[in-house]
Amino acid sequence: MDKIQLKAYGKINLGLDVLRKRSDGYHDLEMIMQSVGVYDDVFIEKIEENKIVVKTDSLVLENEKGNLAYMAAKLLQDEFEIHQGVQITLYKRIPIAGGMAGGSADCAATLKGINELFSLGLSQEELMERGVKLGADVPYCILGGTALAEGIGEKLTPLPNPPKASVIIAKPPISVSTAFVYGRIRPEQLGKHPDTKGIMEALEQKSLKQLASLLFNVMETVTIPEYPIIEEVKQFLLAEGALGAIMSGSGPTVFALFDSEEKARQAYERLESANLTEQLYLTEFVDRESYWK
Ligand code: ATP
């Protein structure tokens, strides 16, 4: 095998709670992760020269050492003393620095791709052990589907597939730094927390209504006062008939759940005309069974 093509899916958080700041500076989190059908295309091919080349269609991303796909390839190349180079080409669709773990998804796809391309024989668990060295969300991006993530995001428990829904993903034309959000969040002062157990019950019962009513992300307490356009996008989608709409991760991307594809399509078209977004997608959840397919 000389080349491989993978889909690196983005994630949303159906619930996101920050429990406490740890002494090492990280935060203990409790998140319900869900893959969605917005993905980057990741092509990996063997090349003659013994080096790692990364190409992307993004003007803002680093192509070399700062790219998480590069770091993933380098980690495996070093550990397994691989002396043949690779070229990795990324076609980005997941909003960059959007709260959808796009970098971690590309990293996970590269680990997976290199493992297959060079027949390294690493199991999913072994790939996840290596992934966590590159980012807290990488193990989840290797697993995919629906999962509870605890610790800094690396302790994973697979959950039942969600009910079917139409999902709008809307990124406002602003940049929010993850460091800014984590630097400002005060877990001890948060009035409201997501009902994580309730979300897990809604998944168990396949109730979209219940699930949508429980969506909650504590990071909004930091981002929305600073960037009111996030609230504007949420309200727009709710007024268009979404059952629920919240920000994903540290933002600024907002997602909304609909029980009717027709309503979702209409909301998509109206939001597109409203000039509130830079990237907009109408998609669905991706189950673990369809992940990496
Ligand atoms: P998270 O939800 O994990 O906090 P995010 O979705 O907010 O992440 P990403 O798109 O994953 O943000 O990227 C965060 C930063 O990682 C970017 O600003 C970029 O500089 C860096 N990065 C490195 N490699 C990549 C990549 N392949 N795709 C996107 N970002 C990358």
Side-chain angles (χ1 to χ4, degrees), residues 46-52 73-74 76-86 114 118 120:
K46 292 179 181 171
I47 54 174
E48 289 296 316
E49 256 185 292
N50 181 14
K51 61 179 193 178
I52 300 165
K74 178 87 174 105
L76 292 182
Q77 236 193 18
D78 287 350
E79 179 178 345
F80 291 91
E81 298 178 9
I82 300 169
H83 297 298
Q84 178 162 23
V86 285
I114 301 271
F118 292 93
L120 303 181

mmCIF file of all heavy atoms in Angstrom, residues 46-52 73-74 76-86 114 118 120:
data_model
loop_
_atom_site.group_PDB
_atom_site.id
_atom_site.type_symbol
_atom_site.label_atom_id
_atom_site.label_comp_id
_atom_site.label_asym_id
_atom_site.label_seq_id
_atom_site.Cartn_x
_atom_site.Cartn_y
_atom_site.Cartn_z
ATOM 1 N N LYS A 46 3.239 7.629 0.615
ATOM 2 C CA LYS A 46 4.677 7.433 0.799
ATOM 3 C C LYS A 46 5.418 8.223 -0.270
ATOM 4 O O LYS A 46 4.958 8.293 -1.420
ATOM 5 C CB LYS A 46 5.029 5.946 0.655
ATOM 6 C CG LYS A 46 4.475 5.093 1.784
ATOM 7 C CD LYS A 46 4.836 3.628 1.590
ATOM 8 C CE LYS A 46 4.278 2.767 2.703
ATOM 9 N NZ LYS A 46 4.415 1.334 2.459
ATOM 10 N N ILE A 47 6.560 8.824 0.100
ATOM 11 C CA ILE A 47 7.379 9.541 -0.882
ATOM 12 C C ILE A 47 8.819 9.022 -0.816
ATOM 13 O O ILE A 47 9.199 8.364 0.152
ATOM 14 C CB ILE A 47 7.334 11.082 -0.662
ATOM 15 C CG1 ILE A 47 7.719 11.442 0.789
ATOM 16 C CG2 ILE A 47 5.965 11.643 -1.009
ATOM 17 C CD1 ILE A 47 7.845 12.937 1.060
ATOM 18 N N GLU A 48 9.592 9.354 -1.843
ATOM 19 C CA GLU A 48 10.979 8.872 -1.932
ATOM 20 C C GLU A 48 11.838 9.413 -0.799
ATOM 21 O O GLU A 48 12.541 8.679 -0.118
ATOM 22 C CB GLU A 48 11.596 9.300 -3.270
ATOM 23 C CG GLU A 48 11.028 8.546 -4.479
ATOM 24 C CD GLU A 48 11.350 7.061 -4.429
ATOM 25 O OE1 GLU A 48 12.517 6.733 -4.101
ATOM 26 O OE2 GLU A 48 10.441 6.243 -4.687
ATOM 27 N N GLU A 49 11.748 10.741 -0.649
ATOM 28 C CA GLU A 49 12.613 11.397 0.341
ATOM 29 C C GLU A 49 12.200 11.054 1.758
ATOM 30 O O GLU A 49 11.008 10.954 2.050
ATOM 31 C CB GLU A 49 12.490 12.919 0.173
ATOM 32 C CG GLU A 49 13.678 13.532 -0.516
ATOM 33 C CD GLU A 49 13.540 15.034 -0.520
ATOM 34 O OE1 GLU A 49 12.632 15.535 -1.205
ATOM 35 O OE2 GLU A 49 14.321 15.681 0.184
ATOM 36 N N ASN A 50 13.185 10.935 2.681
ATOM 37 C CA ASN A 50 12.873 10.607 4.063
ATOM 38 C C ASN A 50 12.524 11.876 4.848
ATOM 39 O O ASN A 50 13.308 12.372 5.647
ATOM 40 C CB ASN A 50 14.058 9.888 4.705
ATOM 41 C CG ASN A 50 13.742 9.509 6.142
ATOM 42 O OD1 ASN A 50 12.591 9.544 6.556
ATOM 43 N ND2 ASN A 50 14.764 9.166 6.896
ATOM 44 N N LYS A 51 11.323 12.420 4.568
ATOM 45 C CA LYS A 51 10.869 13.573 5.357
ATOM 46 C C LYS A 51 9.348 13.588 5.400
ATOM 47 O O LYS A 51 8.689 12.822 4.690
ATOM 48 C CB LYS A 51 11.428 14.872 4.795
ATOM 49 C CG LYS A 51 11.018 15.172 3.371
ATOM 50 C CD LYS A 51 11.648 16.495 2.990
ATOM 51 C CE LYS A 51 11.054 17.033 1.704
ATOM 52 N NZ LYS A 51 11.583 18.322 1.322
ATOM 53 N N ILE A 52 8.815 14.468 6.251
ATOM 54 C CA ILE A 52 7.361 14.578 6.367
ATOM 55 C C ILE A 52 6.945 15.911 5.737
ATOM 56 O O ILE A 52 7.406 16.970 6.172
ATOM 57 C CB ILE A 52 6.916 14.532 7.850
ATOM 58 C CG1 ILE A 52 7.352 13.210 8.499
ATOM 59 C CG2 ILE A 52 5.405 14.727 7.973
ATOM 60 C CD1 ILE A 52 7.290 13.208 10.025
ATOM 61 N N ALA A 73 2.695 12.019 12.503
ATOM 62 C CA ALA A 73 3.558 11.229 11.622
ATOM 63 C C ALA A 73 4.956 11.104 12.235
ATOM 64 O O ALA A 73 5.573 10.028 12.236
ATOM 65 C CB ALA A 73 3.636 11.879 10.242
ATOM 66 N N LYS A 74 5.436 12.212 12.800
ATOM 67 C CA LYS A 74 6.787 12.241 13.381
ATOM 68 C C LYS A 74 6.882 11.271 14.567
ATOM 69 O O LYS A 74 7.860 10.526 14.704
ATOM 70 C CB LYS A 74 7.080 13.680 13.827
ATOM 71 C CG LYS A 74 8.412 13.897 14.484
ATOM 72 C CD LYS A 74 9.485 14.183 13.439
ATOM 73 C CE LYS A 74 10.809 14.543 14.102
ATOM 74 N NZ LYS A 74 11.799 13.477 14.057
ATOM 75 N N LEU A 76 5.242 8.512 15.171
ATOM 76 C CA LEU A 76 5.308 7.097 14.760
ATOM 77 C C LEU A 76 6.587 6.807 13.979
ATOM 78 O O LEU A 76 7.179 5.736 14.128
ATOM 79 C CB LEU A 76 4.061 6.722 13.951
ATOM 80 C CG LEU A 76 2.735 6.713 14.740
ATOM 81 C CD1 LEU A 76 1.578 6.272 13.857
ATOM 82 C CD2 LEU A 76 2.820 5.807 15.973
ATOM 83 N N GLN A 77 6.997 7.786 13.160
ATOM 84 C CA GLN A 77 8.257 7.594 12.397
ATOM 85 C C GLN A 77 9.440 7.367 13.344
ATOM 86 O O GLN A 77 10.261 6.474 13.134
ATOM 87 C CB GLN A 77 8.526 8.862 11.574
ATOM 88 C CG GLN A 77 8.685 8.597 10.112
ATOM 89 C CD GLN A 77 9.246 9.809 9.394
ATOM 90 O OE1 GLN A 77 9.819 10.726 9.975
ATOM 91 N NE2 GLN A 77 9.074 9.797 8.086
ATOM 92 N N ASP A 78 9.494 8.171 14.410
ATOM 93 C CA ASP A 78 10.599 8.062 15.376
ATOM 94 C C ASP A 78 10.518 6.743 16.143
ATOM 95 O O ASP A 78 11.499 6.017 16.251
ATOM 96 C CB ASP A 78 10.571 9.228 16.380
ATOM 97 C CG ASP A 78 11.006 10.529 15.734
ATOM 98 O OD1 ASP A 78 11.494 10.482 14.580
ATOM 99 O OD2 ASP A 78 10.844 11.594 16.364
ATOM 100 N N GLU A 79 9.324 6.441 16.674
ATOM 101 C CA GLU A 79 9.185 5.242 17.511
ATOM 102 C C GLU A 79 9.486 3.964 16.726
ATOM 103 O O GLU A 79 10.129 3.056 17.235
ATOM 104 C CB GLU A 79 7.772 5.180 18.100
ATOM 105 C CG GLU A 79 7.577 3.948 18.964
ATOM 106 C CD GLU A 79 6.201 3.861 19.607
ATOM 107 O OE1 GLU A 79 5.456 4.856 19.633
ATOM 108 O OE2 GLU A 79 5.873 2.752 20.075
ATOM 109 N N PHE A 80 9.030 3.914 15.480
ATOM 110 C CA PHE A 80 9.178 2.668 14.702
ATOM 111 C C PHE A 80 10.337 2.722 13.703
ATOM 112 O O PHE A 80 10.459 1.861 12.838
ATOM 113 C CB PHE A 80 7.851 2.335 14.005
ATOM 114 C CG PHE A 80 6.794 1.920 14.996
ATOM 115 C CD1 PHE A 80 5.945 2.865 15.559
ATOM 116 C CD2 PHE A 80 6.681 0.597 15.400
ATOM 117 C CE1 PHE A 80 4.988 2.492 16.503
ATOM 118 C CE2 PHE A 80 5.731 0.223 16.342
ATOM 119 C CZ PHE A 80 4.886 1.169 16.897
ATOM 120 N N GLU A 81 11.162 3.787 13.842
ATOM 121 C CA GLU A 81 12.333 3.957 12.984
ATOM 122 C C GLU A 81 11.995 3.736 11.517
ATOM 123 O O GLU A 81 12.619 2.934 10.809
ATOM 124 C CB GLU A 81 13.455 3.016 13.457
ATOM 125 C CG GLU A 81 13.876 3.372 14.878
ATOM 126 C CD GLU A 81 14.952 2.464 15.444
ATOM 127 O OE1 GLU A 81 15.503 1.653 14.681
ATOM 128 O OE2 GLU A 81 15.236 2.571 16.640
ATOM 129 N N ILE A 82 10.970 4.452 11.084
ATOM 130 C CA ILE A 82 10.549 4.383 9.682
ATOM 131 C C ILE A 82 11.446 5.330 8.878
ATOM 132 O O ILE A 82 11.559 6.514 9.226
ATOM 133 C CB ILE A 82 9.060 4.801 9.549
ATOM 134 C CG1 ILE A 82 8.169 3.877 10.382
ATOM 135 C CG2 ILE A 82 8.619 4.825 8.087
ATOM 136 C CD1 ILE A 82 6.736 4.353 10.524
ATOM 137 N N HIS A 83 12.081 4.815 7.847
ATOM 138 C CA HIS A 83 13.022 5.662 7.105
ATOM 139 C C HIS A 83 12.469 6.117 5.760
ATOM 140 O O HIS A 83 13.185 6.646 4.934
ATOM 141 C CB HIS A 83 14.369 4.942 6.941
ATOM 142 C CG HIS A 83 15.008 4.674 8.271
ATOM 143 N ND1 HIS A 83 15.390 5.676 9.130
ATOM 144 C CD2 HIS A 83 15.265 3.507 8.925
ATOM 145 C CE1 HIS A 83 15.874 5.147 10.242
ATOM 146 N NE2 HIS A 83 15.803 3.819 10.143
ATOM 147 N N GLN A 84 11.180 5.876 5.572
ATOM 148 C CA GLN A 84 10.564 6.384 4.342
ATOM 149 C C GLN A 84 9.658 7.554 4.708
ATOM 150 O O GLN A 84 8.926 7.501 5.709
ATOM 151 C CB GLN A 84 9.733 5.277 3.682
ATOM 152 C CG GLN A 84 9.051 5.786 2.421
ATOM 153 C CD GLN A 84 8.588 4.654 1.532
ATOM 154 O OE1 GLN A 84 8.380 3.532 1.973
ATOM 155 N NE2 GLN A 84 8.422 4.962 0.258
ATOM 156 N N GLY A 85 9.694 8.610 3.892
ATOM 157 C CA GLY A 85 8.901 9.805 4.183
ATOM 158 C C GLY A 85 7.458 9.685 3.735
ATOM 159 O O GLY A 85 7.082 8.725 3.044
ATOM 160 N N VAL A 86 6.662 10.657 4.168
ATOM 161 C CA VAL A 86 5.261 10.717 3.737
ATOM 162 C C VAL A 86 4.888 12.151 3.378
ATOM 163 O O VAL A 86 5.440 13.106 3.924
ATOM 164 C CB VAL A 86 4.269 10.241 4.835
ATOM 165 C CG1 VAL A 86 4.275 8.736 4.996
ATOM 166 C CG2 VAL A 86 4.498 10.933 6.169
ATOM 167 N N ILE A 114 -0.973 6.209 9.164
ATOM 168 C CA ILE A 114 0.426 5.745 9.174
ATOM 169 C C ILE A 114 0.490 4.306 9.710
ATOM 170 O O ILE A 114 1.262 3.475 9.226
ATOM 171 C CB ILE A 114 1.315 6.675 10.051
ATOM 172 C CG1 ILE A 114 1.270 8.109 9.531
ATOM 173 C CG2 ILE A 114 2.744 6.137 10.183
ATOM 174 C CD1 ILE A 114 2.275 8.490 8.500
ATOM 175 N N PHE A 118 2.090 1.630 7.013
ATOM 176 C CA PHE A 118 3.364 0.965 7.312
ATOM 177 C C PHE A 118 3.159 -0.332 8.102
ATOM 178 O O PHE A 118 4.111 -0.848 8.699
ATOM 179 C CB PHE A 118 4.305 1.930 8.049
ATOM 180 C CG PHE A 118 4.778 3.063 7.175
ATOM 181 C CD1 PHE A 118 4.096 4.272 7.161
ATOM 182 C CD2 PHE A 118 5.873 2.909 6.338
ATOM 183 C CE1 PHE A 118 4.507 5.322 6.336
ATOM 184 C CE2 PHE A 118 6.299 3.947 5.513
ATOM 185 C CZ PHE A 118 5.606 5.153 5.504
ATOM 186 N N LEU A 120 1.988 -1.162 11.034
ATOM 187 C CA LEU A 120 2.616 -1.139 12.366
ATOM 188 C C LEU A 120 1.899 -2.070 13.347
ATOM 189 O O LEU A 120 2.462 -2.435 14.373
ATOM 190 C CB LEU A 120 2.637 0.296 12.919
ATOM 191 C CG LEU A 120 3.336 1.334 12.038
ATOM 192 C CD1 LEU A 120 3.300 2.710 12.716
ATOM 193 C CD2 LEU A 120 4.781 0.937 11.745
#
